Amino acid sequence: MANIHKDYYLTEVDKNPNTIYCMHDLMGEQDISAHQHEKGQFLYTEGGVVHVSTEQKTYFLPARHYMWIPPGVVHSIHPSSADVTMRNLYFPVEANENPFYAQKGIYPVNDLLLQMIIFSNRWSGDIDQTEQSSYRFALALKAILPEVSLYKLPLALPYAKDKRLASVIKYMGENLSEAIVFPAMASQFGLSERSLSRLFQGDVGMSFIQYLTIQRMMLAVQLLLEDKMSVKEVASMVGYNSIPTFSTTFYKTLGVRPSEYVKMKGALGLDVMLA
């Protein structure tokens, strides 16, 4: 499987505005720099996690989830490993589209959608209306997304504009295995608790604990996927002394327990997809 070339994103996707463009490929060592498309993008990945950065936020795309990127959204793509495979379908904008397609989001992939993704592995490049069965199947995949995507994964973090808050957030991200306590953080960065609380709400629209929890869950997913650690080891690495507390927080964020998530990762049918 050949590595993706950057020019493909810039020259091929929108060359034929009325086609559905399909690309399955190995990322290798390469990040995809900031770009945009006139078509909506369905992005599914295997082999590791991917960060998708827009002008406002960084999104975290783990296994068994997909991301919908609306047309015109400037974004860059950053794989966590050279083994990440991306599966992309790019769809032309249709008249009177469901509002779902105008919103960025990361959603779980259920068994039906997974089988449709597996089926799409046989396509490459442009699919036009002369290829009736393939074109209609791809449109059906797109059409069911609003019906099967009822839960948006909250694994996205906005950028801090205030330099003081950016420093706080950077420190948090580098010390997730440690006990990070709000009063101590405020004191360490020369801020009152009230001022730091206002910075979080005013700048990133989240509380300190909400931001910290998502940071920790992002790292937890990455460790579970890539480093083959036990749930107990991962809990410790992301700052939880209590496995039940970690498991409950993970469940509230991702909708599954950490132990279930690891099992799910191993049941994706990747051998079928890569055949």
Side-chain angles (χ1 to χ4, degrees):
M1 190 177 288
N3 286 351
I4 288 176
H5 299 289
K6 288 183 179 178
D7 288 348
Y8 135 67
Y9 288 93
L10 303 176
T11 62
E12 300 303 314
V13 171
D14 295 319
K15 181 180 288 185
N16 298 305
N18 296 318
T19 62
I20 298 169
Y21 193 88
C22 181
M23 173 60 72
H24 304 278
D25 226 329
L26 186 67
M27 288 288 290
E29 300 289 342
Q30 185 173 325
D31 288 346
I32 303 299
S33 59
H35 63 284
Q36 60 184 315
H37 307 293
E38 295 175 11
K39 296 176 180 177
Q41 180 177 356
F42 174 92
L43 169 60
Y44 181 83
T45 64
E46 302 152 10
V49 299
V50 166
H51 291 86
V52 180
S53 294
T54 68
E55 294 174 334
Q56 296 82 30
K57 293 183 179 181
T58 293
Y59 293 82
F60 186 85
L61 180 59
R64 198 65 189 257
H65 292 77
Y66 80 89
M67 182 170 185
W68 178 261
I69 305 173
V73 172
V74 177
H75 61 284
S76 57
I77 300 173
H78 311 276
S80 62
S81 136
D83 297 324
V84 170
T85 295
M86 294 205 311
R87 304 195 178 281
N88 294 289
L89 286 167
Y90 300 86
F91 295 93
V93 178
E94 300 175 87
N96 302 314
E97 282 196 324
N98 189 308
F100 172 89
Y101 302 112
Q103 302 294 323
K104 299 181 290 292
I106 292 175
Y107 305 91
V109 168
N110 66 8
D111 290 340
L112 170 61
L113 188 54
L114 179 61
Q115 292 304 315
M116 296 180 83
I117 295 168
I118 292 171
F119 187 87
S120 76
N121 188 47
R122 65 193 65 193
W123 305 329
S124 179
D126 288 303
I127 306 168
D128 62 32
Q129 296 186 46
T130 63
E131 305 170 75
Q132 288 190 15
S133 61
S134 298
Y135 191 84
R136 288 175 180 173
F137 188 92
L139 280 184
L141 185 153
K142 178 187 177 185
I144 68 169
L145 295 182
E147 302 298 324
V148 301
S149 306
L150 303 178
Y151 173 71
K152 184 184 289 189
L153 195 69
L155 291 186
L157 288 174
Y159 297 115
K161 302 177 184 66
D162 188 288
K163 292 181 179 179
R164 296 170 297 172
L165 184 58
S167 296
V168 172
I169 287 172
K170 182 175 184 291
Y171 177 88
M172 290 162 56
E174 292 173 349
N175 295 276
L176 293 175
S177 63
E178 306 298 325
I180 299 176
V181 183
F182 185 73
M185 289 294 297
S187 176
Q188 180 173 336
F189 286 88
L191 296 164
S192 69
E193 292 180 43
R194 185 176 183 183
S195 295
L196 184 55
S197 179
R198 284 180 171 178
L199 272 179
F200 268 99
Q201 290 292 355
D203 196 343
V204 296
M206 305 170 73
S207 70
F208 163 80
I209 195 63
Q210 287 173 325
Y211 204 100
L212 177 61
T213 298
I214 293 178
Q215 282 184 314
R216 284 178 161 157
M217 292 304 103
M218 283 181 165
L219 179 58
V221 168
Q222 188 164 340
L223 293 173
L224 287 168
L225 286 176
E226 295 177 5
D227 294 342
K228 299 179 181 178
M229 294 182 176
S230 68
V231 172
K232 181 179 180 180
E233 290 171 322
V234 170
S236 178
M237 288 291 292
V238 298
Y240 288 86
N241 295 322
S242 164
I243 295 177
T245 301
F246 168 68
S247 180
T248 298
T249 304
F250 193 96
Y251 178 80
K252 288 180 178 177
T253 305
L254 280 90
V256 294
R257 299 284 178 185
S259 56
E260 295 169 345
Y261 189 82
V262 173
K263 292 177 183 176
M264 184 175 69
K265 181 194 71 169
L268 297 181
L270 300 188
D271 292 340
V272 176
M273 287 187 174
L274 297 174

